[in-house]
Amino acid sequence: MKKKWVGWLFSVGLLCALLCGCQAAEESEKPAVEDDFYASVNFETFQEKSIPETEGSWSWSYEITEEVADKLQEAVSSLNTSDENFESGSSEQKINDLYACALDLENRNEQGLLAVEPLLQEINDIETLEDCSNALIDLADNGFQSIIRFSYAQDDMDSSQMAVYFESIDDLIGKEYLDDPAMSEACQDYQEYMTQMFILSGENETDARANTTAIFSMVSQVAVKGLTPAEFYDPDIYYNVYTYNELTSLYSGINIAKFLERRGLSESDQYVVMEKDAISTLNSYFTEENIPVLKEYIKFVLLKDLAPYGSVEYRDLALEMERKLNGASQQKTNERLAYDEVGNLLEWDLAKIYIENSFDEARKNDVKSMIEQIISEYKESINSQDWMSEETKAKAILKLDKMTVKVGYPDEWPSICEALSVTPISEGGSNLSNVVAIQAATQINKDAEYQKGVNREFWYFTPQTVNAYYNPANNEIVFPAAILQAPLYDIIQSDATNLGGIGAVIGHEISHAFDETGSLYNENGNYEIWWTDQEYQKYDELSQSIVAYYDQYTIDSGEHVDGELTLGENIADLGGVAVVTQVAKNQEYDLNEVYTSYATIWAYLTTDELAQQKLLIDVHSPRKVRVNAVLSSMDDFYEVYDIMEGDNMYVAPDQRVGIWMIEE
C-alpha cells in the first residue's frame, strides 16, 4: 500500500537505504567543517567502512539492523539445532519449522510450484472476463493482489472509522522507472527478468518475449496515469470517495461486486479510490481481446511475488534482478536468506523473542522523558511564531497535548500472532505451501480486523525494526525498541550526544505533525484545515521557500534533489534540529556535541544504482543534504563553528529556511 499517512524516519521497503553521495568516502584529506560538515565529521568512519557486497548501501542504521538480525538469527539457529519438541502453534515451533523449510533447498526444488498449481491452473484457464474476476477473487483470498489492489486504513476524514483504499495495479519495476527515459536500461533488464521468469514457468522463449512486451506496454500505459510519490501525501489528490455504484462503474469491466462480497464488504462501506485516473485507464483493458495479456500479467505478478520462496532457480532469478537495481555484487548466504524469510513472514513471533532477550526498560523510560522535554520545547516554538493567531497556536498545542507516545513494544501482541501456523516438512509442509498458508491467514486476519473497527493500539513496525514514525490518523509518534541503540542512543552517552541523535529523530517525528501533510490533520487525526486562510498562505510560502532551497542541492552525479518530493521530510528535519538546538541551549549542553552527533547518525555509503533509485522514489533528501542543508539553516551553527561568508556551508541569513524555527 502506498498511502503515505505515516511519516517514516527511513524509507520503507529498503530500510536504511536512504540516498546520499558517497564521495566523502573517497576524500584523501579531511574536509574542514566550514566546507562540508557531514564529510568532516564522518571522515574517519568513511575510511573504515565499506558497502557490504550483499547490499546496496551502508549506514549506522544498517549496522544496528544487522546486529539485531545476528542476535535473532542465532536464536533461530539454536531452535533449529535443538532436540526440544516445541508446542504446536508456539512462536518457537513456527519459527523453527519455517526456517527449516526455507533452508531445505532440495525439498524446495522437488516441490517447485506445486503449492500454487491450483491458482496457476485457474489463471491459465481464463477465457472470459468473468473467469478473470474469479481468479482475482481466489488470489485475493490467498493474499495476492495484482489488478485489484486494496487495503484497509483509518478514514482520513474520520479517524474513528475504517475505510477501504484502492490503488492502481502492481506497476512492476515502478512508475518512477517507467516514466523516466534515463531508466530505460533498468526497464530493459526488468523485461529480460520477466521473460526468464516466464521461460522458467514452462513457456517457450518466443511466447515469453511476446507476453513480456504486451504486459510492459499495458503497465506503462496505466502507470503514466498513476500518482507520484509526492501526490500520495496529498489528501486533496488521493482522497476520492466513491459510492458502491460509482466503484462498480469504475471497475465496470470486471465483477468488482463479487470481489467485494467475498471480502465481506457491502454497500455501506467507505471506498476511497486513490488513483482514479489510472484505474479508469486500467478498466479500458477489461475487454475480451485483452484477456491474453491480462492473464499473463496476473500470472507474472504471482510468480514474482512467490519467487523468493520457491525453487532455487526462481529465487536466484529474483535476487539477481534485485542486485541489478541496488548495485549489490553478491548474494546472501542460504542461512541469511532463510532468516530473512522468517523475519518477513513471522515478524511478530520474532518480536517476542527479541523483547524477551534484548530490551532494557531503562532505555524506554529515559527516552520517554526526553520526548516530554522536546514536546515542551516545541510548544515554545509554536508560541514564538508571529504569523500564527493565538487561536491557531492553541489548536497546535492541543495537538501536542493529545499526541500519543509509543516506545519499545506494544502492551498487547497483535492478533496475527495467533492467526498464523506452519506445517513442518515431516507432516507434509513445504516452504512454498507454508508461505501461501501464511499469506492467506494474514489476509483473513486483515479482513477480520477491518470488521472490528479502528485499533489505535496497533503498531506498524515491530520492536526489532530500526525506524520510527508519526501517524497523523492516530496523532502518535512511535519508536520501536531497536532504534534505541548507539550511535542514535545509548544510556551511557552524554545527554548532548543523545539529544543530537535520538533527540533529533524525536523532534523529526513530532515535526511531522506539522509538516505539509500532518498540518492538515487535527488533534484527533481527522483531516481538517485548522488554520486561517492567511496563515495557510504564509505556511505555503514558507514551504515553497524550502522546496526552492533543497532544489539547489545535488548528489555526486550532479542531479538535483527534488525539493517537492522531499518537502515533508525536509520540514521535519529542519524542525527537529531547531527544537533540539533550543533544548540544548536551555540545558547549557555543548552544541558541538549535538551537531556532531546529528551528522554522525546520517553517515552513509551507497552504490550508484541505489543512489539513482532513491533519487526517484525516496521522500527523504540525501543523507549528506539532511545534514549540511539543515545545519546551514541554523543560526546557532554559524556561531559554534565560526562559519563565514565564502565558506561552502554558508547560506545568507535571508536564504535560510524552516517553518518551526524558534523565534527569539
Side-chain angles (χ1 to χ4, degrees):
M1 180 182 180
K2 294 180 181 176
K3 181 172 179 279
K4 299 298 193 300
W5 39 266
V6 176
W8 317 112
L9 175 65
F10 302 122
S11 58
V12 182
L14 289 168
L15 185 60
C16 310
L18 303 181
L19 163 65
C20 84
C22 56
Q23 186 172 335
E26 301 168 358
E27 296 279 359
S28 58
E29 296 184 7
K30 184 175 183 177
V33 293
E34 63 266 23
D35 289 329
D36 187 341
F37 189 78
Y38 168 85
S40 179
V41 167
N42 294 307
F43 180 77
E44 287 78 13
T45 297
F46 289 146
Q47 305 309 306
E48 297 170 3
K49 302 296 181 180
S50 59
I51 301 171
E53 292 181 334
T54 58
E55 307 298 329
S57 64
W58 171 89
S59 66
W60 286 117
S61 42
Y62 163 79
E63 286 218 352
I64 297 172
T65 300
E66 287 301 292
E67 289 172 6
V68 170
D70 287 345
K71 290 180 181 178
L72 285 173
Q73 187 169 2
E74 183 178 348
V76 172
S77 297
S78 296
L79 294 176
N80 195 241
T81 56
S82 172
D83 293 330
E84 185 176 351
N85 291 320
F86 301 108
E87 182 181 354
S88 179
S90 66
S91 292
E92 290 80 4
Q93 179 266 315
K94 289 184 284 186
I95 290 169
N96 181 44
D97 286 330
L98 185 61
Y99 184 71
C101 286
L103 268 182
D104 194 335
L105 301 185
E106 182 177 349
N107 181 265
R108 287 172 63 166
N109 289 335
E110 288 176 357
Q111 291 291 313
L113 299 176
L114 184 63
V116 289
E117 278 300 328
L119 291 174
L120 286 172
Q121 189 60 53
E122 184 175 12
I123 295 170
N124 288 331
D125 289 343
I126 292 175
E127 294 183 352
T128 67
L129 290 174
E130 188 64 21
D131 292 340
C132 185
S133 298
N134 291 334
L136 293 173
I137 290 169
D138 290 339
L139 285 163
D141 284 348
N142 287 277
F144 300 109
Q145 301 185 20
S146 54
I147 286 179
I148 303 175
R149 299 177 70 214
F150 70 100
S151 55
Y152 306 123
Q154 287 164 268
D155 194 316
D156 286 273
M157 302 302 156
D158 182 0
S159 64
S160 68
Q161 302 294 321
M162 297 294 288
V164 189
Y165 287 78
F166 286 87
E167 293 179 39
S168 181
I169 61 173
D170 183 327
D171 52 12
L172 307 182
I173 193 173
K175 171 183 170 63
E176 294 75 28
Y177 281 85
L178 296 169
D179 288 351
D180 191 341
M183 294 292 102
S184 60
E185 183 176 348
C187 289
Q188 290 172 5
D189 287 340
Y190 198 88
Q191 289 180 75
E192 183 60 28
Y193 163 63
M194 292 172 65
T195 297
Q196 295 305 316
M197 189 74 78
F198 280 133
I199 292 173
L200 266 183
S201 73
E203 295 185 7
N204 63 59
E205 184 172 350
T206 300
D207 289 344
R209 294 196 180 281
N211 289 330
T212 293
T213 300
I215 291 171
F216 218 73
S217 175
M218 180 186 75
V219 171
S220 298
Q221 292 297 315
V222 175
V224 75
K225 297 290 187 178
L227 300 187
T228 66
E231 288 172 332
F232 274 105
Y233 279 82
D234 189 346
D236 286 335
I237 294 176
Y238 74 70
Y239 189 83
N240 307 293
V241 177
Y242 275 56
T243 65
Y244 181 86
N245 289 336
E246 287 171 339
L247 189 69
T248 56
S249 177
L250 180 65
Y251 284 101
S252 61
I254 55 176
N255 196 340
I256 192 71
K258 188 175 180 180
F259 186 95
L260 295 173
E261 182 182 3
R262 181 72 71 87
R263 301 265 64 77
L265 304 175
S266 67
E267 296 186 30
S268 62
D269 287 285
Q270 178 86 328
Y271 310 110
V272 179
V273 177
M274 304 177 72
E275 297 182 279
K276 54 187 178 66
D277 292 339
I279 293 175
S280 179
T281 300
L282 170 65
N283 191 58
S284 69
Y285 278 89
F286 295 142
T287 63
E288 297 295 332
E289 55 265 34
N290 283 322
I291 285 175
V293 67
L294 291 172
K295 65 189 289 186
E296 288 296 322
Y297 166 79
I298 296 168
K299 175 183 176 181
F300 173 74
V301 173
L302 179 62
L303 292 173
K304 168 183 71 72
D305 290 348
L306 289 176
Y309 314 113
S311 66
V312 172
E313 285 184 304
Y314 279 104
R315 183 198 71 178
D316 290 353
L317 185 60
L319 291 172
E320 180 187 9
M321 185 65 240
E322 183 181 336
R323 289 197 302 276
K324 285 182 179 179
L325 292 179
N326 67 23
S329 59
Q330 186 173 307
Q331 185 168 297
K332 294 179 181 179
T333 65
N334 291 329
E335 290 75 15
R336 181 51 191 268
L337 290 170
Y339 164 76
D340 286 347
E341 178 180 319
V342 173
N344 289 332
L345 297 172
L346 299 175
E347 57 180 1
W348 284 105
D349 288 289
L350 272 180
K352 294 180 181 180
I353 293 176
Y354 178 70
I355 290 301
E356 287 172 4
N357 297 290
S358 303
F359 189 58
D360 179 2
E361 292 290 335
R363 285 184 287 166
K364 179 177 181 178
N365 296 330
D366 190 42
V367 169
K368 278 195 167 184
S369 177
M370 188 186 300
I371 291 171
E372 291 177 5
Q373 190 177 36
I374 292 172
I375 288 178
S376 177
E377 195 57 53
Y378 215 112
K379 293 178 181 179
E380 295 298 320
S381 170
I382 289 170
N383 277 324
S384 75
Q385 305 302 318
D386 59 12
W387 54 275
M388 295 175 71
S389 67
E390 293 305 312
E391 181 181 2
T392 303
K393 289 178 182 178
K395 290 180 179 178
I397 290 173
L398 177 62
K399 189 171 185 180
L400 289 171
D401 285 337
K402 295 193 71 171
M403 183 176 287
T404 299
V405 175
K406 297 177 179 177
V407 179
Y409 56 94
D411 293 332
E412 294 184 7
W413 297 112
S415 60
I416 192 67
C417 292
E418 305 302 322
L420 305 182
S421 63
V422 174
T423 303
I425 293 176
S426 61
E427 297 178 15
S430 70
N431 195 55
L432 194 56
S433 69
N434 277 308
V435 170
V436 173
I438 288 171
Q439 289 274 92
T442 299
Q443 185 60 55
I444 292 172
N445 181 258
K446 288 178 180 179
D447 294 340
E449 288 297 313
Y450 167 76
Q451 296 297 340
K452 292 178 184 177
V454 171
N455 176 11
R456 294 189 185 272
E457 300 306 312
F458 184 77
W459 284 50
Y460 291 96
F461 284 156
T462 60
Q464 65 269 30
T465 303
V466 185
N467 214 328
Y469 66 85
Y470 171 74
N471 177 5
N474 281 349
N475 188 27
E476 65 181 2
I477 49 176
V478 183
F479 303 91
I483 199 173
L484 307 182
Q485 298 185 70
L488 288 105
Y489 171 83
D490 196 322
I491 204 163
I492 65 172
Q493 288 179 167
S494 71
D495 290 340
T497 298
N498 281 336
L499 188 63
I502 197 66
V505 171
I506 293 166
H508 172 103
E509 298 306 338
I510 294 171
S511 294
H512 271 308
F514 305 99
D515 68 16
E516 95 284 13
T517 298
S519 62
L520 302 176
Y521 295 81
N522 64 19
E523 73 277 5
N524 297 316
N526 297 328
Y527 183 79
E528 177 191 341
I529 305 301
W530 44 276
W531 314 74
T532 66
D533 290 343
Q534 185 177 4
E535 288 167 339
Y536 205 73
Q537 182 179 355
K538 177 62 176 179
Y539 185 96
D540 187 60
E541 289 174 3
L542 293 170
S543 296
Q544 290 310 307
S545 70
I546 294 173
V547 171
Y549 178 73
Y550 278 86
D551 277 343
Q552 300 176 76
Y553 283 87
T554 61
I555 61 172
D556 291 343
S557 65
E559 294 175 276
H560 284 263
V561 174
D562 186 339
E564 192 69 42
L565 172 65
T566 56
L567 176 59
E569 298 298 333
N570 295 336
I571 291 173
D573 282 342
L574 290 161
V577 174
V579 75
V580 298
T581 294
Q582 196 61 35
V583 170
K585 291 167 67 176
N586 292 344
Q587 299 295 323
E588 298 184 349
Y589 294 158
D590 183 353
L591 277 175
N592 175 49
E593 279 191 69
V594 175
Y595 292 148
T596 297
S597 178
Y598 179 70
T600 297
I601 67 172
W602 294 118
Y604 183 78
L605 301 171
T606 182
T607 62
D608 292 339
E609 292 86 349
L610 185 57
Q612 190 69 34
Q613 179 188 111
K614 302 309 290 178
L615 193 63
L616 287 174
I617 65 175
D618 197 353
V619 294
H620 305 80
S621 287
R623 294 287 186 98
K624 185 173 184 176
V625 176
R626 293 187 80 167
V627 174
N628 288 352
V630 169
L631 294 181
S632 288
S633 272
M634 302 293 141
D635 293 342
D636 291 283
F637 176 74
Y638 291 79
E639 296 181 19
V640 174
Y641 298 102
D642 195 26
I643 307 298
M644 307 293 290
E645 188 171 0
D647 295 334
N648 289 341
M649 290 294 299
Y650 180 85
V651 172
D654 63 345
Q655 298 298 309
R656 296 169 197 171
V657 298
I659 294 179
W660 304 111
M661 310 307 234
I662 308 295
E663 300 291 340
E664 299 179 336

